[in-house]
Amino acid sequence: MKKTYIWAVLAVLLWSTAFAGVKIGLSYASPLFFAGTRFMLAGIMVIPFTGKIRGYWTHAVKNWKTVLSVALSQTAIMYALYFNGVDRVPAAIAAIVMGAEPLVMAVTAHVLIHDDKLSRRKVASLLMGIGGVILISLDRNFGDATGLRELSGIILLLLASISGSLSQVIVKKRTENPLYLNSQQIFLGGFMLFIASLISSEPIPKQLPPEFFAAILWLSFVSAFAFSIWYTLLHRPGVKVSELNMLKFLIPLSGAMLGWLIFPDDSPNLISIIGMLVISLSVILFYKRKPIVPEQPKDL
């Protein structure tokens, strides 16, 4: 389990870099076009690591319902909401709002997975984590046009968390080969987003700077590598979806700090720092174990 959590933290740290990369990419391309291109490329990146190509296509045909359902919930719907949400809020705020995903995932797992129930400690730590997210949200001024745009972005990001949580339950219950599934669903979901960009008449950029290509290559790598790790961990015996997802509360910390470093208009304030500290404490509370008291020998 220690190795499981080490790999999980690596995936989480990779995901935390995505907020800055997405903001860079969206300054040159529309959300659906950018997302679709990113995920189609990511799906292709995973193929060389999946093993036998014949088995790859056999898996796609045999498990087409699972591939389609995950492609819709994890990639097409979730990232359509996610990219449009990130386009409306600062990168640091996007990272912090997406930190609410562990709470959404825990509730989803409690309802849909019989051996992944909420305990009092889990509920307390999850509520503390979401409290940190609420603190950040309350710090925004939603009274003007910019504020309303940010509020709609936060709502879109929360809906993206719900869609992503449902996909993880599907992966936990139905996955046969995590790498096959990740490559197939992420390419199919990206293709759906790309087609949606054409239907919605989003402008397709003709000339793009090196920064765009650097961002999309990095984001494609993050999707290919991090999701492959995550799906593999979800498939391991004894791994609970809610406990693994609690580590995603670390995304706001590293994601927000990266956003503050990269974007000059995106800087920390006292409320943001307090919210991040609350989230950090919630993670510590969640993983804190009761000390094992050795049994005392009985008197003869």
Side-chain angles (χ1 to χ4, degrees):
M1 292 303 294
K2 288 183 179 179
K3 290 182 179 180
T4 294
Y5 287 117
I6 289 172
W7 280 108
V9 169
L10 175 60
V12 163
L13 292 177
L14 284 171
W15 274 321
S16 69
T17 67
F19 299 97
V22 169
K23 293 297 289 186
I24 292 172
L26 289 176
S27 62
Y28 301 106
S30 57
L32 294 180
F33 172 82
F34 185 48
T37 306
R38 168 195 175 182
F39 290 119
M40 285 193 293
L41 182 58
I44 295 171
M45 281 184 177
V46 180
I47 292 178
F49 303 97
T50 58
K52 297 180 179 179
I53 297 298
R54 185 176 180 180
Y56 182 90
W57 296 114
T58 302
H59 178 275
V61 174
K62 182 181 178 182
N63 301 278
W64 69 269
K65 290 183 179 180
T66 300
V67 174
L68 179 60
S69 58
V70 177
L72 282 169
S73 59
Q74 176 66 64
T75 303
I77 296 175
M78 175 183 172
Y79 280 98
L81 295 167
Y82 170 83
F83 272 70
N84 279 284
V86 172
D87 195 34
R88 297 165 185 247
V89 299
I93 298 302
I96 293 165
V97 172
M98 287 302 289
E101 186 176 351
L103 174 63
V104 178
M105 186 67 254
V107 174
T108 305
H110 179 79
V111 174
L112 299 178
I113 301 177
H114 68 88
D115 61 345
D116 198 349
K117 301 301 181 183
L118 289 169
S119 63
R120 290 182 179 178
R121 178 174 56 84
K122 286 183 179 181
V123 171
S125 56
L126 288 165
L127 290 178
M128 185 183 296
I130 198 65
V133 175
I134 293 172
L135 272 177
I136 304 302
S137 301
L138 292 178
D139 185 51
R140 313 305 293 178
N141 179 18
F142 297 128
D144 55 14
T146 302
L148 289 174
R149 178 176 170 80
E150 289 189 3
L151 178 60
S152 67
I154 289 173
I155 293 172
L156 290 173
L157 291 171
L158 291 174
L159 290 174
S161 294
I162 295 172
S163 182
S165 298
L166 292 173
S167 72
Q168 290 192 58
V169 173
I170 296 171
V171 171
K172 179 67 176 178
K173 288 185 173 183
R174 302 182 188 175
T175 303
E176 291 185 9
N177 187 308
L179 291 180
Y180 284 165
L181 176 62
N182 184 37
S183 175
Q184 292 158 6
Q185 72 83 14
I186 208 167
F187 180 86
L188 179 59
F191 181 73
M192 293 176 184
L193 290 169
F194 184 80
I195 294 300
S197 73
L198 299 179
I199 295 174
S200 61
S201 300
E202 284 188 354
I204 298 177
K206 296 180 180 180
Q207 293 183 343
L208 294 167
E211 291 84 359
F212 173 84
F213 293 104
I216 201 167
L217 284 173
W218 173 252
L219 290 170
S220 299
F221 166 75
V222 167
S223 297
F225 192 64
F227 275 115
S228 294
I229 292 174
W230 205 258
Y231 284 7
T232 301
L233 298 180
L234 286 173
H235 197 49
R236 287 185 176 180
V239 173
K240 293 186 176 182
V241 178
S242 62
E243 294 188 3
L244 195 66
N245 274 267
M246 189 64 189
L247 288 170
K248 288 186 177 180
F249 270 137
L250 298 176
I251 293 177
L253 306 183
S254 53
M257 287 187 288
L258 186 62
W260 292 331
L261 288 172
I262 293 177
F263 301 105
D265 296 332
D266 203 356
S267 58
N269 54 43
L270 181 60
I271 297 296
S272 297
I273 294 172
I274 293 174
M276 293 170 71
L277 289 175
V278 171
I279 290 171
S280 301
L281 290 173
S282 73
V283 175
I284 295 172
L285 175 62
F286 188 92
Y287 286 107
K288 183 179 180 181
R289 304 296 182 185
K290 292 181 179 180
I292 300 175
V293 180
E295 185 177 351
Q296 299 296 325
K298 296 179 180 179
D299 295 333
L300 297 177

